[in-house]
Amino acid sequence: MEPLDYLKVLQRRWKIAAALVVVTLVAVWLLMPAPPKPDYEANHTLLLESTSGDAVMTGADNPQVVELWATEGEIPGRVAAKVGHTGPIDSLSSQMSVLASPELGTVRLTAIASTPEDAVVLVNLWADETLAFINEWNEERATEAREEATTQRTAVRDRLNEVGQRIEAAGGAEAPAAANDVAERDNLQADLTRIQEEEAAAARASEWTSLH
């Protein structure tokens, strides 16, 4: 066929050709991968305002321990329950980044979500649950310290009563026969003071606050 013949055929069937072009364009558009949705970040910083005074930075006194709690401890599960997340906890934790700074006494939480609102809700909820967990840990620690102090105090006081009775039976604290018991009594009284100081120290909880 001559070129002129092709042109004549195209003129007669231009609608079919146009339809084929449209179909091809639609198919290409449908098969193209969707552009990735943008991610949005929201940040929330927790600040350690005061420590319990322990010589060794442990538990809630240590920002790195708080970071561990917020990433691998009980906190992710609590957040998942609050937001109704039913999949693997790791899939929710992957939306969070937690970074501790022992030098600054801070823990910075960063949430990533498909909308700014979701990111803000997630990071604030994570921070709230972290603070709640810290408060519970402090209270549990103080309760255990009180119970232990009560047990120790009872034992020391019972022993003091026994020693006091022996001192009295020996003729009083000035009697030579009571010297050993008097020394033990003094040591027991010192133990009571130590127990009281340790109990007071345990009651001094770490205090964290939100900077948002």
Side-chain angles (χ1 to χ4, degrees):
M1 295 177 63
E2 297 295 330
L4 185 59
D5 295 329
Y6 284 110
L7 182 59
K8 290 178 180 179
V9 172
L10 182 60
Q11 286 177 339
R12 289 195 301 268
R13 301 183 179 179
W14 68 270
K15 292 183 179 180
I16 296 176
L20 289 174
V21 172
V22 171
V23 170
T24 301
L25 292 175
V26 170
V28 170
W29 179 78
L30 291 175
L31 294 175
M32 285 180 60
K37 294 182 179 180
D39 289 329
Y40 297 91
E41 287 189 1
N43 298 303
H44 195 129
T45 300
L46 303 179
L47 173 66
L48 178 61
E49 289 193 322
S50 64
T51 66
S52 65
D54 288 345
V56 180
M57 291 280 285
T58 59
D61 285 348
N62 190 336
Q64 291 177 311
V65 173
V66 174
E67 175 187 338
L68 186 64
W69 288 341
T71 53
E72 299 182 20
E74 186 178 333
I75 294 169
R78 293 187 177 191
V79 175
K82 287 289 181 67
V83 300
H85 178 80
T86 57
I89 298 298
D90 289 346
S91 65
L92 183 63
S93 297
S94 65
Q95 295 181 245
M96 286 295 305
S97 172
V98 184
L99 180 62
S101 174
E103 296 80 10
L104 298 177
T106 59
V107 172
R108 182 179 177 84
L109 299 96
T110 302
I112 300 176
S114 58
T115 68
E117 295 78 12
D118 287 347
V120 169
V121 169
L122 181 61
V123 76
N124 287 342
L125 180 57
W126 215 287
D128 290 345
E129 289 301 318
T130 300
L131 290 175
F133 184 88
I134 290 172
N135 291 335
E136 291 169 13
W137 186 90
N138 283 331
E139 180 57 34
E140 183 178 349
R141 174 177 173 270
T143 299
E144 290 175 352
R146 286 193 296 268
E147 292 174 352
E148 183 178 356
T150 299
T151 301
Q152 292 180 351
R153 235 185 335 259
T154 299
V156 171
R157 285 172 175 166
D158 288 345
R159 183 60 180 170
L160 272 172
N161 287 334
E162 295 176 8
V163 172
Q165 291 173 4
R166 290 205 304 267
I167 291 173
E168 185 178 352
E174 302 300 326
N180 291 336
D181 288 327
V182 169
E184 183 178 358
R185 181 197 62 186
D186 293 342
N187 289 334
L188 290 169
Q189 289 174 340
D191 286 341
L192 283 177
T193 301
R194 174 186 55 79
I195 293 168
Q196 182 177 356
E197 291 173 350
E198 290 176 352
E199 183 181 12
R204 291 194 295 271
S206 307
E207 294 184 7
W208 288 80
T209 188
S210 290
L211 296 181
H212 288 280

